[in-house]
Amino acid sequence: MPTADGGSGKHSFSDEKSAAMFSACKNRATAWDVLKFASSAAQDGKFLEATGQMPMREDLTAKYPGYFAKNPTYKAFADQAERVVEVPNVPGSIDIWQAFRDEWTKSVVFGRESTDAGLRNASSKITDLLNEYGDPS
């Protein structure tokens, strides 16, 4: 993640996914058992094997050595996973991320414009949104 002054940062965003149990849940003990099972280190390992998506755990290469032995190029991703931060929640963040996704998809996925143009367009739209919502900095 680049820093505000253009330097090379040490963190990236996590893209963490959450699970929850509603207070109105009628079978809380069973639901809790399912959540514990689904989020266990063993299940995270199976998900990693099936998808390549890094679990939100510390020391991934030590926890899942077999996976990284078979997929050594993924070690860099596991290393970076040690330094993730959550995406900041700012006013208008949903609109801001959607503006970025729209331009990224248009340029990178569908090739309808250059990546440079797409990122410039996204930056302009995001600046407008920050001005609309009020720059939180």
Side-chain angles (χ1 to χ4, degrees):
M1 175 87 43
T3 62
D5 64 3
S8 177
K10 296 187 181 354
H11 296 91
S12 60
F13 292 142
S14 71
D15 194 27
E16 175 263 341
K17 307 293 188 273
S18 297
M21 176 176 39
F22 291 102
S23 61
C25 179
K26 292 181 182 176
N27 299 302
R28 289 184 188 178
T30 302
W32 181 241
D33 286 342
V34 169
L35 283 172
K36 287 190 299 186
F37 168 78
S39 61
S40 69
Q43 289 306 110
D44 275 352
K46 289 179 182 180
F47 192 69
L48 175 63
E49 287 283 344
T51 67
Q53 184 171 332
M54 302 290 148
M56 293 299 296
R57 295 189 176 275
E58 294 178 348
D59 204 7
L60 293 173
T61 54
K63 279 196 175 56
Y64 308 106
Y67 177 82
F68 292 104
K70 289 188 290 185
N71 302 281
T73 57
Y74 277 59
K75 286 180 182 178
F77 294 100
D79 178 57
Q80 185 61 32
E82 295 290 324
R83 295 180 304 284
V84 296
V85 295
E86 293 305 313
V87 176
N89 187 10
V90 299
S93 60
I94 293 171
D95 294 332
I96 289 167
W97 282 110
Q98 190 61 53
F100 176 80
R101 280 190 295 271
D102 289 347
E103 290 298 327
W104 178 263
T105 302
K106 191 186 323 178
S107 64
V108 174
V109 176
F110 295 113
R112 294 185 184 142
E113 64 188 1
S114 72
T115 304
D116 286 345
L119 291 175
R120 276 194 305 277
N121 290 340
S123 177
S124 177
K125 289 176 184 178
I126 290 167
T127 298
D128 290 345
L129 288 165
L130 286 171
N131 289 330
E132 178 183 331
Y133 286 104
D135 187 344
S137 59

mmCIF file of all heavy atoms in Angstrom, residues 1 13 92-109 113 115-127 129:
data_model
loop_
_atom_site.group_PDB
_atom_site.id
_atom_site.type_symbol
_atom_site.label_atom_id
_atom_site.label_comp_id
_atom_site.label_asym_id
_atom_site.label_seq_id
_atom_site.Cartn_x
_atom_site.Cartn_y
_atom_site.Cartn_z
ATOM 1 N N MET A 1 0.841 -1.161 0.000
ATOM 2 C CA MET A 1 0.000 0.000 0.000
ATOM 3 C C MET A 1 0.892 1.232 0.000
ATOM 4 O O MET A 1 1.670 1.420 0.931
ATOM 5 C CB MET A 1 -0.876 -0.043 1.256
ATOM 6 C CG MET A 1 -1.725 1.143 1.466
ATOM 7 S SD MET A 1 -3.305 1.094 0.674
ATOM 8 C CE MET A 1 -3.867 -0.530 0.958
ATOM 9 N N PHE A 13 -4.683 -3.863 2.601
ATOM 10 C CA PHE A 13 -6.006 -4.087 3.173
ATOM 11 C C PHE A 13 -6.306 -5.581 3.247
ATOM 12 O O PHE A 13 -5.918 -6.350 2.387
ATOM 13 C CB PHE A 13 -7.083 -3.379 2.354
ATOM 14 C CG PHE A 13 -7.007 -1.885 2.427
ATOM 15 C CD1 PHE A 13 -7.265 -1.124 1.316
ATOM 16 C CD2 PHE A 13 -6.693 -1.236 3.612
ATOM 17 C CE1 PHE A 13 -7.219 0.263 1.374
ATOM 18 C CE2 PHE A 13 -6.638 0.144 3.687
ATOM 19 C CZ PHE A 13 -6.903 0.897 2.558
ATOM 20 N N GLY A 92 -19.105 7.905 2.927
ATOM 21 C CA GLY A 92 -19.153 7.686 1.482
ATOM 22 C C GLY A 92 -18.299 6.534 1.006
ATOM 23 O O GLY A 92 -18.116 6.360 -0.204
ATOM 24 N N SER A 93 -17.772 5.720 1.930
ATOM 25 C CA SER A 93 -16.837 4.669 1.518
ATOM 26 C C SER A 93 -17.463 3.677 0.532
ATOM 27 O O SER A 93 -16.771 3.205 -0.369
ATOM 28 C CB SER A 93 -16.251 3.944 2.724
ATOM 29 O OG SER A 93 -17.261 3.339 3.489
ATOM 30 N N ILE A 94 -18.729 3.378 0.679
ATOM 31 C CA ILE A 94 -19.374 2.448 -0.263
ATOM 32 C C ILE A 94 -19.358 3.031 -1.669
ATOM 33 O O ILE A 94 -18.990 2.359 -2.634
ATOM 34 C CB ILE A 94 -20.807 2.104 0.196
ATOM 35 C CG1 ILE A 94 -20.748 1.288 1.483
ATOM 36 C CG2 ILE A 94 -21.566 1.356 -0.898
ATOM 37 C CD1 ILE A 94 -22.088 1.074 2.151
ATOM 38 N N ASP A 95 -19.716 4.299 -1.791
ATOM 39 C CA ASP A 95 -19.703 4.957 -3.107
ATOM 40 C C ASP A 95 -18.282 5.090 -3.644
ATOM 41 O O ASP A 95 -18.033 4.939 -4.841
ATOM 42 C CB ASP A 95 -20.354 6.339 -3.015
ATOM 43 C CG ASP A 95 -21.839 6.263 -2.704
ATOM 44 O OD1 ASP A 95 -22.477 5.255 -3.063
ATOM 45 O OD2 ASP A 95 -22.356 7.216 -2.102
ATOM 46 N N ILE A 96 -17.338 5.372 -2.758
ATOM 47 C CA ILE A 96 -15.940 5.521 -3.165
ATOM 48 C C ILE A 96 -15.409 4.200 -3.729
ATOM 49 O O ILE A 96 -14.821 4.170 -4.814
ATOM 50 C CB ILE A 96 -15.086 6.008 -1.979
ATOM 51 C CG1 ILE A 96 -15.426 7.474 -1.668
ATOM 52 C CG2 ILE A 96 -13.596 5.828 -2.250
ATOM 53 C CD1 ILE A 96 -14.885 7.972 -0.341
ATOM 54 N N TRP A 97 -15.628 3.101 -3.002
ATOM 55 C CA TRP A 97 -15.144 1.806 -3.491
ATOM 56 C C TRP A 97 -15.868 1.382 -4.763
ATOM 57 O O TRP A 97 -15.266 0.767 -5.643
ATOM 58 C CB TRP A 97 -15.260 0.740 -2.406
ATOM 59 C CG TRP A 97 -14.161 0.870 -1.410
ATOM 60 C CD1 TRP A 97 -14.268 1.279 -0.112
ATOM 61 C CD2 TRP A 97 -12.773 0.642 -1.622
ATOM 62 N NE1 TRP A 97 -13.031 1.313 0.488
ATOM 63 C CE2 TRP A 97 -12.098 0.928 -0.418
ATOM 64 C CE3 TRP A 97 -12.024 0.225 -2.721
ATOM 65 C CZ2 TRP A 97 -10.715 0.807 -0.290
ATOM 66 C CZ3 TRP A 97 -10.640 0.099 -2.578
ATOM 67 C CH2 TRP A 97 -10.011 0.386 -1.378
ATOM 68 N N GLN A 98 -17.151 1.728 -4.883
ATOM 69 C CA GLN A 98 -17.877 1.369 -6.105
ATOM 70 C C GLN A 98 -17.324 2.136 -7.297
ATOM 71 O O GLN A 98 -17.188 1.582 -8.392
ATOM 72 C CB GLN A 98 -19.375 1.624 -5.950
ATOM 73 C CG GLN A 98 -20.198 1.051 -7.099
ATOM 74 C CD GLN A 98 -20.039 -0.463 -7.208
ATOM 75 O OE1 GLN A 98 -20.232 -1.179 -6.238
ATOM 76 N NE2 GLN A 98 -19.677 -0.952 -8.384
ATOM 77 N N ALA A 99 -16.991 3.409 -7.105
ATOM 78 C CA ALA A 99 -16.388 4.193 -8.191
ATOM 79 C C ALA A 99 -15.076 3.544 -8.641
ATOM 80 O O ALA A 99 -14.806 3.433 -9.844
ATOM 81 C CB ALA A 99 -16.155 5.637 -7.740
ATOM 82 N N PHE A 100 -14.274 3.116 -7.678
ATOM 83 C CA PHE A 100 -13.021 2.440 -8.020
ATOM 84 C C PHE A 100 -13.294 1.131 -8.769
ATOM 85 O O PHE A 100 -12.702 0.860 -9.813
ATOM 86 C CB PHE A 100 -12.190 2.169 -6.761
ATOM 87 C CG PHE A 100 -10.937 1.399 -7.060
ATOM 88 C CD1 PHE A 100 -9.821 2.043 -7.568
ATOM 89 C CD2 PHE A 100 -10.884 0.026 -6.862
ATOM 90 C CE1 PHE A 100 -8.666 1.335 -7.868
ATOM 91 C CE2 PHE A 100 -9.737 -0.686 -7.157
ATOM 92 C CZ PHE A 100 -8.627 -0.033 -7.662
ATOM 93 N N ARG A 101 -14.210 0.307 -8.221
ATOM 94 C CA ARG A 101 -14.520 -0.988 -8.866
ATOM 95 C C ARG A 101 -15.028 -0.797 -10.284
ATOM 96 O O ARG A 101 -14.655 -1.553 -11.191
ATOM 97 C CB ARG A 101 -15.544 -1.760 -8.041
ATOM 98 C CG ARG A 101 -14.968 -2.486 -6.861
ATOM 99 C CD ARG A 101 -15.990 -3.419 -6.220
ATOM 100 N NE ARG A 101 -17.112 -2.713 -5.648
ATOM 101 C CZ ARG A 101 -17.169 -2.248 -4.408
ATOM 102 N NH1 ARG A 101 -16.143 -2.410 -3.599
ATOM 103 N NH2 ARG A 101 -18.237 -1.628 -3.970
ATOM 104 N N ASP A 102 -15.900 0.199 -10.501
ATOM 105 C CA ASP A 102 -16.452 0.434 -11.834
ATOM 106 C C ASP A 102 -15.345 0.737 -12.844
ATOM 107 O O ASP A 102 -15.322 0.175 -13.948
ATOM 108 C CB ASP A 102 -17.459 1.580 -11.804
ATOM 109 C CG ASP A 102 -18.754 1.228 -11.091
ATOM 110 O OD1 ASP A 102 -19.002 0.026 -10.830
ATOM 111 O OD2 ASP A 102 -19.517 2.163 -10.783
ATOM 112 N N GLU A 103 -14.441 1.634 -12.474
ATOM 113 C CA GLU A 103 -13.360 2.004 -13.391
ATOM 114 C C GLU A 103 -12.355 0.865 -13.562
ATOM 115 O O GLU A 103 -11.855 0.640 -14.662
ATOM 116 C CB GLU A 103 -12.665 3.278 -12.911
ATOM 117 C CG GLU A 103 -13.528 4.517 -13.038
ATOM 118 C CD GLU A 103 -13.931 4.832 -14.475
ATOM 119 O OE1 GLU A 103 -13.147 4.571 -15.417
ATOM 120 O OE2 GLU A 103 -15.045 5.352 -14.667
ATOM 121 N N TRP A 104 -12.058 0.163 -12.488
ATOM 122 C CA TRP A 104 -11.136 -0.974 -12.567
ATOM 123 C C TRP A 104 -11.700 -2.038 -13.498
ATOM 124 O O TRP A 104 -10.999 -2.562 -14.366
ATOM 125 C CB TRP A 104 -10.905 -1.551 -11.165
ATOM 126 C CG TRP A 104 -10.010 -2.747 -11.151
ATOM 127 C CD1 TRP A 104 -10.385 -4.059 -11.144
ATOM 128 C CD2 TRP A 104 -8.585 -2.747 -11.168
ATOM 129 N NE1 TRP A 104 -9.277 -4.875 -11.125
ATOM 130 C CE2 TRP A 104 -8.162 -4.085 -11.140
ATOM 131 C CE3 TRP A 104 -7.629 -1.742 -11.180
ATOM 132 C CZ2 TRP A 104 -6.823 -4.447 -11.148
ATOM 133 C CZ3 TRP A 104 -6.292 -2.105 -11.179
ATOM 134 C CH2 TRP A 104 -5.916 -3.434 -11.162
ATOM 135 N N THR A 105 -12.964 -2.361 -13.330
ATOM 136 C CA THR A 105 -13.608 -3.380 -14.160
ATOM 137 C C THR A 105 -13.624 -2.952 -15.622
ATOM 138 O O THR A 105 -13.311 -3.753 -16.510
ATOM 139 C CB THR A 105 -15.036 -3.653 -13.649
ATOM 140 O OG1 THR A 105 -14.960 -4.076 -12.288
ATOM 141 C CG2 THR A 105 -15.726 -4.719 -14.479
ATOM 142 N N LYS A 106 -13.974 -1.692 -15.850
ATOM 143 C CA LYS A 106 -14.035 -1.187 -17.222
ATOM 144 C C LYS A 106 -12.667 -1.280 -17.906
ATOM 145 O O LYS A 106 -12.583 -1.668 -19.066
ATOM 146 C CB LYS A 106 -14.523 0.267 -17.220
ATOM 147 C CG LYS A 106 -14.867 0.790 -18.592
ATOM 148 C CD LYS A 106 -15.215 2.269 -18.643
ATOM 149 C CE LYS A 106 -15.975 2.798 -17.477
ATOM 150 N NZ LYS A 106 -16.238 4.247 -17.565
ATOM 151 N N SER A 107 -11.613 -0.941 -17.187
ATOM 152 C CA SER A 107 -10.293 -0.912 -17.814
ATOM 153 C C SER A 107 -9.571 -2.260 -17.762
ATOM 154 O O SER A 107 -9.088 -2.748 -18.781
ATOM 155 C CB SER A 107 -9.430 0.186 -17.184
ATOM 156 O OG SER A 107 -9.193 -0.084 -15.823
ATOM 157 N N VAL A 108 -9.492 -2.867 -16.595
ATOM 158 C CA VAL A 108 -8.692 -4.079 -16.441
ATOM 159 C C VAL A 108 -9.435 -5.324 -16.912
ATOM 160 O O VAL A 108 -8.891 -6.152 -17.634
ATOM 161 C CB VAL A 108 -8.222 -4.245 -14.979
ATOM 162 C CG1 VAL A 108 -7.511 -5.555 -14.770
ATOM 163 C CG2 VAL A 108 -7.327 -3.070 -14.587
ATOM 164 N N VAL A 109 -10.687 -5.455 -16.512
ATOM 165 C CA VAL A 109 -11.437 -6.677 -16.838
ATOM 166 C C VAL A 109 -11.915 -6.673 -18.284
ATOM 167 O O VAL A 109 -11.737 -7.648 -19.017
ATOM 168 C CB VAL A 109 -12.619 -6.871 -15.863
ATOM 169 C CG1 VAL A 109 -13.445 -8.078 -16.252
ATOM 170 C CG2 VAL A 109 -12.111 -6.998 -14.432
ATOM 171 N N GLU A 113 -10.989 0.820 -21.689
ATOM 172 C CA GLU A 113 -10.143 2.010 -21.631
ATOM 173 C C GLU A 113 -8.812 1.583 -21.033
ATOM 174 O O GLU A 113 -8.699 0.495 -20.468
ATOM 175 C CB GLU A 113 -10.788 3.116 -20.790
ATOM 176 C CG GLU A 113 -10.977 2.764 -19.325
ATOM 177 C CD GLU A 113 -11.786 3.801 -18.553
ATOM 178 O OE1 GLU A 113 -12.219 4.796 -19.136
ATOM 179 O OE2 GLU A 113 -11.982 3.594 -17.351
ATOM 180 N N THR A 115 -5.690 1.359 -18.457
ATOM 181 C CA THR A 115 -5.645 1.348 -16.994
ATOM 182 C C THR A 115 -5.350 2.747 -16.463
ATOM 183 O O THR A 115 -5.948 3.182 -15.475
ATOM 184 C CB THR A 115 -4.594 0.348 -16.497
ATOM 185 O OG1 THR A 115 -4.889 -0.932 -17.057
ATOM 186 C CG2 THR A 115 -4.604 0.232 -14.989
ATOM 187 N N ASP A 116 -4.425 3.467 -17.129
ATOM 188 C CA ASP A 116 -4.119 4.837 -16.706
ATOM 189 C C ASP A 116 -5.369 5.706 -16.723
ATOM 190 O O ASP A 116 -5.642 6.432 -15.768
ATOM 191 C CB ASP A 116 -3.055 5.465 -17.609
ATOM 192 C CG ASP A 116 -1.669 4.915 -17.357
ATOM 193 O OD1 ASP A 116 -1.456 4.256 -16.317
ATOM 194 O OD2 ASP A 116 -0.785 5.154 -18.214
ATOM 195 N N ALA A 117 -6.147 5.624 -17.803
ATOM 196 C CA ALA A 117 -7.373 6.429 -17.895
ATOM 197 C C ALA A 117 -8.376 5.993 -16.837
ATOM 198 O O ALA A 117 -9.022 6.839 -16.212
ATOM 199 C CB ALA A 117 -7.981 6.301 -19.297
ATOM 200 N N GLY A 118 -8.511 4.694 -16.631
ATOM 201 C CA GLY A 118 -9.452 4.196 -15.625
ATOM 202 C C GLY A 118 -9.100 4.671 -14.228
ATOM 203 O O GLY A 118 -9.972 5.110 -13.471
ATOM 204 N N LEU A 119 -7.807 4.605 -13.886
ATOM 205 C CA LEU A 119 -7.389 5.054 -12.553
ATOM 206 C C LEU A 119 -7.526 6.572 -12.413
ATOM 207 O O LEU A 119 -7.897 7.064 -11.346
ATOM 208 C CB LEU A 119 -5.965 4.592 -12.261
ATOM 209 C CG LEU A 119 -5.814 3.076 -12.083
ATOM 210 C CD1 LEU A 119 -4.346 2.704 -11.916
ATOM 211 C CD2 LEU A 119 -6.643 2.561 -10.921
ATOM 212 N N ARG A 120 -7.253 7.315 -13.478
ATOM 213 C CA ARG A 120 -7.463 8.774 -13.428
ATOM 214 C C ARG A 120 -8.949 9.088 -13.239
ATOM 215 O O ARG A 120 -9.310 9.957 -12.440
ATOM 216 C CB ARG A 120 -6.926 9.443 -14.692
ATOM 217 C CG ARG A 120 -5.440 9.745 -14.651
ATOM 218 C CD ARG A 120 -5.006 10.705 -15.756
ATOM 219 N NE ARG A 120 -5.372 10.249 -17.082
ATOM 220 C CZ ARG A 120 -4.668 9.379 -17.800
ATOM 221 N NH1 ARG A 120 -3.550 8.875 -17.316
ATOM 222 N NH2 ARG A 120 -5.077 9.016 -18.994
ATOM 223 N N ASN A 121 -9.812 8.386 -13.977
ATOM 224 C CA ASN A 121 -11.259 8.597 -13.833
ATOM 225 C C ASN A 121 -11.721 8.260 -12.419
ATOM 226 O O ASN A 121 -12.514 8.978 -11.820
ATOM 227 C CB ASN A 121 -12.043 7.746 -14.835
ATOM 228 C CG ASN A 121 -11.879 8.222 -16.251
ATOM 229 O OD1 ASN A 121 -11.493 9.362 -16.507
ATOM 230 N ND2 ASN A 121 -12.164 7.347 -17.206
ATOM 231 N N ALA A 122 -11.225 7.131 -11.895
ATOM 232 C CA ALA A 122 -11.594 6.734 -10.534
ATOM 233 C C ALA A 122 -11.131 7.788 -9.543
ATOM 234 O O ALA A 122 -11.885 8.170 -8.637
ATOM 235 C CB ALA A 122 -10.981 5.373 -10.193
ATOM 236 N N SER A 123 -9.904 8.276 -9.696
ATOM 237 C CA SER A 123 -9.377 9.292 -8.793
ATOM 238 C C SER A 123 -10.230 10.555 -8.825
ATOM 239 O O SER A 123 -10.542 11.132 -7.778
ATOM 240 C CB SER A 123 -7.933 9.620 -9.172
ATOM 241 O OG SER A 123 -7.429 10.652 -8.355
ATOM 242 N N SER A 124 -10.628 10.956 -10.006
ATOM 243 C CA SER A 124 -11.459 12.159 -10.141
ATOM 244 C C SER A 124 -12.825 11.959 -9.471
ATOM 245 O O SER A 124 -13.300 12.832 -8.729
ATOM 246 C CB SER A 124 -11.642 12.482 -11.631
ATOM 247 O OG SER A 124 -12.492 13.593 -11.797
ATOM 248 N N LYS A 125 -13.437 10.813 -9.716
ATOM 249 C CA LYS A 125 -14.747 10.525 -9.107
ATOM 250 C C LYS A 125 -14.627 10.435 -7.582
ATOM 251 O O LYS A 125 -15.493 10.933 -6.852
ATOM 252 C CB LYS A 125 -15.321 9.223 -9.669
ATOM 253 C CG LYS A 125 -15.767 9.340 -11.108
ATOM 254 C CD LYS A 125 -16.233 7.998 -11.654
ATOM 255 C CE LYS A 125 -16.585 8.135 -13.132
ATOM 256 N NZ LYS A 125 -17.005 6.860 -13.719
ATOM 257 N N ILE A 126 -13.557 9.821 -7.108
ATOM 258 C CA ILE A 126 -13.358 9.684 -5.659
ATOM 259 C C ILE A 126 -13.113 11.039 -5.021
ATOM 260 O O ILE A 126 -13.641 11.338 -3.941
ATOM 261 C CB ILE A 126 -12.229 8.677 -5.373
ATOM 262 C CG1 ILE A 126 -12.705 7.258 -5.734
ATOM 263 C CG2 ILE A 126 -11.776 8.754 -3.921
ATOM 264 C CD1 ILE A 126 -11.605 6.220 -5.797
ATOM 265 N N THR A 127 -12.345 11.902 -5.691
ATOM 266 C CA THR A 127 -12.126 13.256 -5.180
ATOM 267 C C THR A 127 -13.447 14.003 -5.074
ATOM 268 O O THR A 127 -13.717 14.666 -4.065
ATOM 269 C CB THR A 127 -11.137 14.023 -6.081
ATOM 270 O OG1 THR A 127 -9.875 13.332 -6.053
ATOM 271 C CG2 THR A 127 -10.957 15.463 -5.616
ATOM 272 N N LEU A 129 -16.401 12.661 -4.687
ATOM 273 C CA LEU A 129 -17.159 12.071 -3.584
ATOM 274 C C LEU A 129 -16.625 12.528 -2.236
ATOM 275 O O LEU A 129 -17.405 12.817 -1.316
ATOM 276 C CB LEU A 129 -17.128 10.540 -3.677
ATOM 277 C CG LEU A 129 -17.965 9.947 -4.802
ATOM 278 C CD1 LEU A 129 -17.586 8.490 -5.048
ATOM 279 C CD2 LEU A 129 -19.445 10.076 -4.481
#
